[in-house]
Every structure is written in structure tokens, then in C-alpha cells.
Amino acid sequence: MAKKRPQTKAAKPQTASNEPVPVVGAREPCPCGSGRRYKACHGRAASHAVTELVQRPFEGLAGECDWVALRELVPAATVELKLKGGLPDGVPSITLATVLPMAWPALRREDGSVLLGLQNDTPSGDLSRDLADTLKRALSAEPGNPVAADKAPADGPRLQDLLDPDAAFAPDVHTGFEFWVPDSANADAEVTASLERANSAAIPTVRLTGVDAAYWCETPEKNHLRWAMPHPEEKLLDALARLQASGNASLGDDTRLVGSFRAHGIIVPVWDLPSAMTAEECEKPAAEFAERLAAALAADAPLTAEERRARGGLTNRQVTLS
């Protein structure tokens, strides 16, 4: 078995104290003057910054819970995005889309408008930085071209740096992917067939209007309500357990709180619904549940034995998506 090479302490960097260290090849000498290779010196921090997992990449953005839902749960939806300082010349609009054709990260249309795909694999642990890098490259891409995936610089901006914090985040949920094509009604046969294939795989989904970030969806056996919530995980699970133990966690007859997803630092409780229960019929019971949940969140008494059992059942049925 080969012996490990002893680690020696690097010499004190020789560059000016506040000057940025330029990026060079990983195996080249570090420009700071330490005598070590870049990857073992300043490159280590840069690499760590790119790969470290950011648990809540959308924290601080308007509509954080909807960002999570569109990333993980909603098949077809779009949202108009606004930049700090307004749109650059030649870019009439920026639209966030759940998914784009061919899983493109982004697309610059012929008219200069930009579509940014959300449901794509990203190269680093910071989804916000990766999306911001893709968006920046899309803004300067030649019209009529998709934008390829690329590695974001470790010191690059995040969505929180680019997007207008005061702009509303209002998802428009679609029944299919016709938003891919500006004039889908007059598309050729090949495009029409592609849209039909994509649409056939999309689960019918509706965003409720009376509460935030709650999405009804229809499946062959039963319907579901999946509701992304901004509350801290431990506090939310305690509140849900209180309601479950008291018989107040349902959304009406034949409905049941069955568990939750954990995605990007957000908890998404899930209810089973009867197949005949529509999204519109969820509105009133969801609003009533929101009031019960607010009261349960305000409670600070220790959980009872029954509530602890209910909490254990909820955590046992929790699935992590990210």
C-alpha cells in the first residue's frame, strides 16, 4: 500500500493582500506565490464554492415555494421574470419554464425573448447560481439559438442578484407544452407530433388561487394536493402532527394527509383526494386548513404521546426530492 505524501504547510502568499487571485489551470503554480499547485491552494476554495450543496437555493426570491413546486412537481408552467434595472435592449421578455424542448437549459427565440428552463440537471450544488449563469448567457446569445449547459463560475451571480425582488412571481400552469412554439396551432406535422408526445405524459395540474403554492393534480387512481410551505421543517412537522392527532389534518370527507416531500429546504405536505374532487372543490377546505395550521404553528406546548406518534408517522412517510 502506497504511503501518503506528507502535507507541508504552504508558504505565505506573496501577492498583494487584497488583490483577487486569477484562475489558472488546476495543475499550474498558484498565482498567489505559495509554490503550490492552483488546485491545492486558491483553487480548492473555488472548487468547494461550486460543488457545495445549497440547501435552499431559492431562499430570498419572491415565491420561493412556487419555485420549488415548479422545479419538482409541476409538469408544464411558465412565469414572467423581471430583472433588476429592467430588460436589456433587444430582449422583449424573459420567461421561466418548467421544461424546454430537448431539455435545453435556455432558449433565445428569433424575436430576442428568452426562455429559461428550470427542470434541468445542474453542474454544481447551487441551483440558483447555475440558473443565473444560464440566464446571463441566454441574454447575450444569438436569437434563434438554444443555450447549452455549462459550469458556472464560483464567484458568479445568483438569481437573487439578477431578479427584481419586488416583482410578483405568478406561475401560469398549462395543460400542455404549446408555449414551446409561438404559433403551435399552425405548427408542422413533426412539431405537432412532438407536442402530442410531451402533452400525453403531463399530469393535469392546477394551482389553487386561495392559498399560496398549493397544486392539485389528477392521476388515474386518485387526485392529490401538494402544498409547498415556507415554515421551518421542525415547527411545521409539529403543527401537522398536532392536527393529525386531533383529526383536523384532512381536507374533507375521503381525504387524507399521507406524508410529505422535502425539496430544496421546503416541506411539501401531500393529501390523497377522491378522484371526483376537483381543484375548485379544494379551495374552501384548503383555506380552512390554512387557518387551523396557523393556530397549530402558534402552539408551543410539548407534543403529547399521541402527537409524537403522529409526527413519527409523518416523518416515516417523508420523501426527499433534492
Side-chain angles (χ1 to χ4, degrees), residues 249-299:
S250 74
L251 299 175
D253 295 339
D254 298 324
T255 70
R256 185 168 67 99
L257 175 63
V258 293
S260 63
F261 297 116
R262 181 196 289 113
H264 307 292
I266 295 296
I267 299 299
V268 186
V270 179
W271 285 262
D272 277 352
L273 309 173
S275 58
M277 190 172 187
T278 65
E280 184 178 0
E281 291 169 335
C282 281
E283 293 282 2
K284 182 178 179 181
E288 293 171 346
F289 178 84
E291 295 180 359
R292 299 196 299 273
L293 179 63
L297 287 166

